[in-house]
């Protein structure tokens, strides 16, 4: 089975800028299609269980979006070396995810049938988005795109045998999985009914909680209704998903409106730029930060005006809860929620620390063995935390157990995490982090609060700052967005 480098009809490349996939990447319709595909993925019992146990999409959806976008760009890069390196990274990531669901059924993120279903949902949702927007794909284009997605699967699994070889056979396969395999899983319900209702603001809107909450209250139910209406009818029936009156019309209108963007001048919509801009924090040294900072100021003004008109109970106007007199640091519960509980399930366990390691390894673009060293260090820290904080012996740490203990707990294992992270960031191994290495980790220039005399960041200072942050003793440091950003 070939991984595919040329198309079946016109010998056009299956990867790179000339692929059909790349043509859709900056298409606003793709956002709707991706939400739909994600629900269909999460409805698969194996994938849904893996998402519930390991994913950060609830607590850190914007970070997850950015990393997913970057990964898909790499997987469809024209350079085979880039694709192979990213496939190896994804396989290492998935190999660390296995367990059992709430019904005791085993799941494994390396299950080939489940991985094939992920690719199948992306392809079928792309076809569906074109049909719903009044621009159905012709047979030749559809076959070429199907070849691209099979090549994507082959790049991950070594071959594409889990997907039918012919497009004609794909549709019975897809319908069979929908009717016989998919379930109303917890992960699917979270995406449909919880994720958008509680979606945290991206960095751009972090200082305008009232404005964000008001907009979210209007948009979230609409997105949910549109997504449900777009799902295959057999799945909606089996899962008992209600279809709101008027939802099919709203769905059709949303896809048609998004499809009209094809009349905009080329380059006006760039998904990468949009995602990067949303991720920028005001005050960043990125050249785009001046615009972001100005927009942020406008958002805060609008939020303040809206708050005067419709005050929200308990809102202070700056996104924080009213501070207790004399409170000098983040409360233990807040630190637990924002930093430690990466999966957003209300408990601290190994998947949370694994998510931290995964995010840091992604930022630094680590290969083996550096990635494994980082995971091993976090695993040792988890064992240390579990031994010290898990008072009821249930194998995880609750917010109450954390708050009742010493929040500033920082033992040898956490020191080891800091040292391994320093070594991974110090790419040239000279014992200090320079400006470029610092930017790779923090995505900004040297923080103004750092005491740097020679243009570098030394090991002892790095380890001390990291320990102070991870033990909840210091806030407003460059480490805050590193693991706490949405």
């Amino acid at each position: 089975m070939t991984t595919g480098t040329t198309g079946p009809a016109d010998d056009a490349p299956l990867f790179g800028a000339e692929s059909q996939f790349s043509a859709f990447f900056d298409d606003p319709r793709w956002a709707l299609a991706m939400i739909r595909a994600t629900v269909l993925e999460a409805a698969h019992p194996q994938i849904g269980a893996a998402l519930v146990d390991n994913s950060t999409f609830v607590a850190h959806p914007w970070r997850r979006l950015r990393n997913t976008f970057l990964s898909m760009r790499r997987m469809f890069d024209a350079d085979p070396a880039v694709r192979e390196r990213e496939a190896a990274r994804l396989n290492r990531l998935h190999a660390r995810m296995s367990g059992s669901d709430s019904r005791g059924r085993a799941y494994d993120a390396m299950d080939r049938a489940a991985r094939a279903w992920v690719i199948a949902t992306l392809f079928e949702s792309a076809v569906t988005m074109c049909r719903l927007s009044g621009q159905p794909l012709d047979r030749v284009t559809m076959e070429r795109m199907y070849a691209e997605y099979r090549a994507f699967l082959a790049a991950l699994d070594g071959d594409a045998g889990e997907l039918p070889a012919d497009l004609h056979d794909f549709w019975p396969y897809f319908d069979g999985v929908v009717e016989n395999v998919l379930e109303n899983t917890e992960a699917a319900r979270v995406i449909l009914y919880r994720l958008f209702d509680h979606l945290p603001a991206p960095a751009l809107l972090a200082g305008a909680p009232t404005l964000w909450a008001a907009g979210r209250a209007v948009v979230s139910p609409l997105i949910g209704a549109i997504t449900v209406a777009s799902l295959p009818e057999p799945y909606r029936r089996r899962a008992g998903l209600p279809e709101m009156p008027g939802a099919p019309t709203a769905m059709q209108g949303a896809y048609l409106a998004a499809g009209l963007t094809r009349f905009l001048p080329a380059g006006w919509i760039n998904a990468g730029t949009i995602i990067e801009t949303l991720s920028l924090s005001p005050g960043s040294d990125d050249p785009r930060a001046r615009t972001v900072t100005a927009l942020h100021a406008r958002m805060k003004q609008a939020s303040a005006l809206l708050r005067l008109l419709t005050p929200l109970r308990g809102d202070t106007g700056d996104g924080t809860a009213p501070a207790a007199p004399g409170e000098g640091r983040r409360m233990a519960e807040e630190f637990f929620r924002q930093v430690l509980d990466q999966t957003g399930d209300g408990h601290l366990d190994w998947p949370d620390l694994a998510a931290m390691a995964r995010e840091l390894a992604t930022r630094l673009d680590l290969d083996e063995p550096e990635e494994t060293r980082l995971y091993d260090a976090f695993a040792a820290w988890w064992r240390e935390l579990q031994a010290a904080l898990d008072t009821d012996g249930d194998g995880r740490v609750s917010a109450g157990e954390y708050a009742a203990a010493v929040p500033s707990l920082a033992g040898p294992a956490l020191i080891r995490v800091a040292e391994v992270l320093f070594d991974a960031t110090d790419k040239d191994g000279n014992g200090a982090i320079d400006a470029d290495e610092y930017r790779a980790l923090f995505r900004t220039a040297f923080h103004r609060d750092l005491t740097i005399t020679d243009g570098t960041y030394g090991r002892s200072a790095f380890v001390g700052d990291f320990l102070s942050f991870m033990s909840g003793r210091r806030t407003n440091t460059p480490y805050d967005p590193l693991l706490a950003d949405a």
Side-chain angles (χ1 to χ4, degrees):
M1 177 66 65
T2 178
T3 59
T5 56
T6 58
D10 54 9
D11 291 331
L14 294 180
F15 296 104
E18 296 181 47
S19 68
Q20 189 64 45
F21 178 87
S22 294
F24 285 144
F25 223 80
D26 294 326
D27 192 324
R29 297 175 300 171
W30 189 239
L32 297 171
M34 282 292 290
I35 297 172
R36 179 183 184 277
T38 302
V39 173
L40 290 173
E41 293 170 21
H44 190 289
Q46 287 236 2
I47 300 169
L51 285 173
V52 166
D53 283 353
N54 300 278
S55 179
T56 62
F57 73 94
V58 172
H60 304 278
W62 298 105
R63 189 175 78 192
R64 171 71 184 271
L65 173 64
R66 186 182 191 277
N67 291 341
T68 300
F69 177 85
L70 177 60
S71 178
M72 293 187 73
R73 278 290 200 198
R74 289 171 174 171
M75 285 302 300
F76 274 89
D77 195 277
D79 186 349
V82 173
R83 299 197 301 268
E84 291 170 5
R85 186 171 185 269
E86 181 62 15
R89 188 189 72 84
L90 289 174
N91 285 332
R92 292 196 305 270
L93 183 154
H94 291 146
R96 296 185 173 100
M97 297 180 185
S98 61
S100 59
D101 65 12
S102 58
R103 294 165 56 181
R105 297 176 297 182
Y107 71 81
D108 185 345
M110 290 296 288
D111 180 81
R112 298 188 69 204
R115 283 152 70 92
W117 177 245
V118 172
I119 307 302
T121 63
L122 291 172
F123 168 74
E124 190 273 344
S125 291
V127 172
T128 298
M129 84 175 185
C130 292
R131 174 175 55 81
L132 292 177
S133 59
Q135 304 170 56
L137 298 175
D138 59 68
R139 179 79 180 184
V140 172
T141 303
M142 201 182 301
E143 287 180 343
R144 177 186 172 187
M145 189 166 68
Y146 184 59
E148 293 176 5
Y149 280 91
R150 291 190 82 245
F152 183 0
L153 179 60
L156 283 174
D157 273 0
D159 65 67
E162 291 293 332
L163 284 179
D166 187 81
L167 178 61
H168 180 269
D169 297 325
F170 171 80
W171 302 111
Y173 153 80
F174 183 86
D175 293 341
V177 175
V178 168
E179 294 182 10
N180 302 314
V181 178
L182 300 192
E183 300 175 357
N184 187 9
T185 63
E186 180 185 352
R189 293 193 300 271
V190 166
I191 296 170
L192 286 172
Y193 301 118
R194 177 184 166 192
L195 178 60
F196 293 105
D197 285 344
H198 302 278
L199 187 69
L204 175 63
L205 301 176
T210 308
L211 184 65
W212 175 258
R216 184 179 59 197
V218 174
V219 175
S220 294
L222 182 60
I223 293 177
I226 289 172
T227 304
V228 169
S230 71
L231 295 173
E233 193 276 334
Y235 175 67
R236 294 203 310 269
R237 184 178 64 251
R238 290 185 65 231
L241 299 177
E243 186 175 290
M244 294 177 57
T249 302
M251 172 193 68
Q252 195 80 44
Y255 276 95
L256 286 172
L260 292 176
T261 57
R262 68 186 186 277
F263 297 112
L264 293 175
W268 272 37
I269 298 178
N270 184 284
T273 300
I274 293 172
I275 292 173
E276 290 292 342
T277 301
L278 287 172
S279 301
L280 284 176
S281 299
S284 167
D285 68 312
D286 189 286
R288 293 167 294 181
R290 288 188 294 271
T291 302
V292 174
T293 302
L295 285 173
H296 192 262
R298 295 288 186 184
M299 293 298 179
K300 292 188 71 172
Q301 292 173 2
S303 180
L305 177 61
L306 184 62
R307 190 167 56 255
L308 289 175
L309 298 175
T310 56
L312 296 180
R313 182 180 300 178
D315 179 48
T316 64
D318 61 359
T320 63
E327 183 179 11
R329 62 174 177 82
R330 181 184 303 157
M331 294 295 294
E333 294 86 352
E334 184 181 354
F335 180 80
F336 185 95
R337 177 179 57 83
Q338 291 187 350
V339 178
L340 297 180
D341 183 15
Q342 290 282 304
T343 59
D345 63 357
H347 293 86
L348 173 65
D349 52 13
W350 166 239
D352 295 301
L353 272 70
M356 296 182 199
R358 185 163 66 244
E359 170 62 15
L360 295 171
T362 299
R363 284 190 175 226
L364 296 172
D365 198 18
L366 299 182
D367 282 324
E368 289 278 18
E370 289 83 3
E371 182 183 271
T372 297
R373 289 182 64 221
L374 188 62
Y375 271 91
D376 289 346
F378 271 96
W381 185 37
W382 164 237
R383 291 191 293 271
E384 184 177 82
L385 286 173
Q386 191 177 27
L389 304 180
D390 181 18
T391 56
D392 60 9
D394 65 351
R396 56 187 187 176
V397 177
S398 68
E401 286 174 327
Y402 176 78
V406 182
S408 59
L409 178 69
L414 182 57
I415 296 174
R416 177 60 180 162
V417 170
E419 292 174 340
V420 171
L421 180 59
F422 178 88
D423 291 338
T425 307
D426 180 21
K427 295 288 187 181
D428 58 13
N430 68 347
I433 295 174
D434 60 27
D436 291 337
E437 293 165 342
Y438 187 93
R439 182 181 294 278
L441 179 62
F442 295 106
R443 294 177 181 157
T444 188
F446 279 128
H447 197 269
R448 60 181 177 273
D449 294 340
L450 293 176
T451 342
I452 299 172
T453 57
D454 59 354
T456 59
Y457 192 15
R459 175 183 290 270
S460 60
F462 180 94
V463 170
D465 289 341
F466 184 80
L467 292 178
S468 293
F469 171 72
M470 291 303 295
S471 59
R473 292 197 301 262
R474 286 182 57 193
T475 60
N476 298 322
T477 75
Y479 293 89
D480 283 26
L482 185 64
L483 293 170
D485 64 340

